Amino acid sequence: MLIRLDPTRQEPLYEQLAASVRGSIASGDVRAGERLPGARELAASLGVNLHTVLRGYQLLRDEGLVELRRGRGAVVTAGADAAEASLKHAIREVRTAARRLGLSADDLTARIREEY
Amino acid sequence: MTTSRTLLERAPTARIVLATGAIPIFITGAAAVLLATWRDELPDPVATHWGRQGMADGLTSVSGTIGLVVAFGVGLGLLGLVLALISKVPVLVRACAATGAGVSSFVVVLVTLSTGAQRGLADATEARIPGAAIWAALLAGALVGALAWLLVPTWQVAPEPAAGEPGRAMELAAGERVSWTRSVRSATPAAFVMAGSVLVTAGLAVALQDWWLLIVPAVLLVMVVALGSIRATVDGSGLRVRGALGWPRQHIALDTIASASVVEVRAVRDFGGWGYRIGVRKPFTGVRGWVLRSGPGLLIERTDNSRDIVVVDDAATAAGLITALLART
């Protein structure tokens, strides 16, 4: 699993972290049932605040991609759907690209509807 | 990038001969002299073999015992010397020298102390081996082994041609924070071998009813769990490897790394098995590292020319990241 955080990008670090994990699940790099590195360990490795990692993990939990268990850390959900993760990943990418272009949510939806 | 210490250019043959030739011969000689001076106080024959609960169950004449001490003491030391001289790779040479000198002193000290304890006895069949003799012999062996290890300095070996594909540098933005991590599980045959050895040694302990032998399967079990899976992490600080229990762990600092590449590893063929291993075959001779299974390996070439390996999936990404991090510093 490769996690890349670029502080010069507008997207908050915890979202970038969640996006990296999501991408790894989507590509099959990280499989269901696999344990993610401990938050403290990962924070030290990336040189970021522990809370950044925890927030990223919580975001993934809210999306149903990982389960957070006391003492066991973050485990990729058994039902974590690679296709679903892949779609979520793509949506975030599209959103980032749209924001960069200054498109509003409505503009973006319209553009997507055109293509659908 | 420079190495912190200057290395010898050639193998320190004189030091090797001193470590696992001269030292064992000296210790053996001293023991032989000591045994000879005890001759009048010793029963003849003396007990030299010990059965259950440390009772004597084998006897040898005093002269025979001295002969045995000399043969084993000198022989084991010289065996270590021969192995050390033909192994060529610094770490293997040091290991052979330490093992040769250590095992030789263990045997010599053990026989000398257990014989010395029989002074004053009329009949050696009443002798028991003093537990302290075993511990003292183990300690002496460990100390002499450590001394031999320290006596043989490491030296520079001509770097072998890189065995693998050099890692293609990953593109990194300035200031970007990156961490690559991956866990590796032991290969199935390795797990079977380990589980089998736990069962066999435990069964042996039960069959012999020598309960202290249970230490062996207990230690093996801890090793099985600790090395059942490891996690490798590459980030700005270098490469980190840690076992499932948080131990064993290793950190290879980025500034000691010269380059990273990817190689295909066959555990048994290239490393003679699974675990933390030292390579025995070209092109892996002297490569040290974590071989829990066969597959792609991350090969680290250090600035002091030593090489480390971690067999792990997606080693190409790890090698690419290290290459990029090295280029950034």
Side-chain angles (χ1 to χ4, degrees), chain B residues 27-223:
Chain B
I27 292 175
T28 306
V33 169
L34 200 57
L35 286 169
T37 59
W38 287 341
R39 185 186 286 271
D40 294 339
E41 302 167 63
L42 287 170
D44 200 354
V46 290
T48 48
H49 195 271
W50 315 86
R52 224 188 269 171
Q53 267 105 42
M55 300 293 292
D57 70 355
L59 304 176
T60 312
S61 71
V62 174
S63 307
T65 305
I66 296 176
L68 275 178
V69 164
V70 172
F72 275 98
V74 175
L76 288 168
L78 291 184
L79 181 65
L81 179 61
V82 170
L83 290 174
L85 290 176
I86 60 177
S87 20
K88 306 266 189 257
V89 183
V91 58
L92 289 179
V93 172
R94 300 179 88 190
C96 288
T99 312
V103 174
S104 159
S105 342
F106 166 74
V107 171
V108 168
V109 171
L110 183 63
V111 176
T112 308
L113 290 182
S114 61
T115 306
Q118 297 169 52
R119 279 176 296 164
L121 283 182
D123 180 2
T125 52
E126 291 161 17
R128 305 185 103 212
I129 188 162
I134 300 173
W135 293 111
L138 281 172
L139 184 67
L143 286 177
V144 174
L147 176 69
W149 175 276
L150 293 175
L151 268 175
V152 180
T154 189
W155 66 95
Q156 203 142 28
V157 270
E160 284 184 51
E165 289 285 302
R168 190 171 301 156
M170 182 184 292
E171 275 183 39
L172 292 184
E176 188 174 8
R177 285 150 191 211
V178 196
S179 172
W180 173 91
T181 183
R182 189 104 194 186
S183 60
V184 194
R185 210 170 287 201
S186 266
T188 317
F192 271 109
V193 169
M194 291 299 275
S197 55
V198 171
L199 287 177
V200 167
T201 48
L204 199 67
V206 172
L208 293 173
Q209 304 210 325
D210 261 337
W211 302 114
W212 60 269
L213 268 182
L214 283 173
I215 293 171
V216 179
V219 169
L220 283 173
L221 193 65
V222 171
M223 283 172 63

Side-chain angles (χ1 to χ4, degrees), chain A residues 1-8 13 28-31 34-38 41-42 44-49, chain B residues 170-183 185 231 233-237 242 313-314 317 321:
Chain A
M1 183 173 68
L2 182 68
I3 294 178
R4 312 181 62 154
L5 308 180
D6 187 348
T8 61
L13 291 182
D29 217 18
V30 180
R31 290 197 201 92
E34 203 168 305
R35 199 183 307 186
L36 299 181
E41 223 177 302
L42 186 56
S45 173
L46 287 163
V48 298
N49 197 295
Chain B
M170 182 184 292
E171 275 183 39
L172 292 184
E176 188 174 8
R177 285 150 191 211
V178 196
S179 172
W180 173 91
T181 183
R182 189 104 194 186
S183 60
R185 210 170 287 201
R231 179 177 282 285
T233 304
V234 173
D235 57 35
S237 76
R242 56 180 294 213
D313 275 343
D314 198 24
T317 304
L321 177 54

Side-chain angles (χ1 to χ4, degrees), chain A residues 14-95:
Chain A
Y14 76 92
E15 278 191 21
Q16 294 185 33
L17 186 138
S20 286
V21 177
R22 211 182 286 121
S24 298
I25 297 174
S27 68
D29 217 18
V30 180
R31 290 197 201 92
E34 203 168 305
R35 199 183 307 186
L36 299 181
R40 205 173 294 274
E41 223 177 302
L42 186 56
S45 173
L46 287 163
V48 298
N49 197 295
L50 173 63
H51 295 290
T52 307
V53 177
L54 288 175
R55 248 185 116 179
Y57 279 5
Q58 275 155 13
L59 180 59
L60 293 165
R61 180 196 57 194
D62 295 345
E63 292 171 357
L65 288 174
V66 306
E67 283 168 46
L68 295 181
R69 282 185 226 142
R70 189 178 281 272
R72 288 216 54 205
V75 180
V76 178
T77 316
D81 192 344
E84 181 67 26
S86 164
L87 178 63
K88 275 186 183 138
H89 189 62
I91 291 173
R92 299 240 173 208
E93 297 272 296
V94 169
R95 188 195 63 183

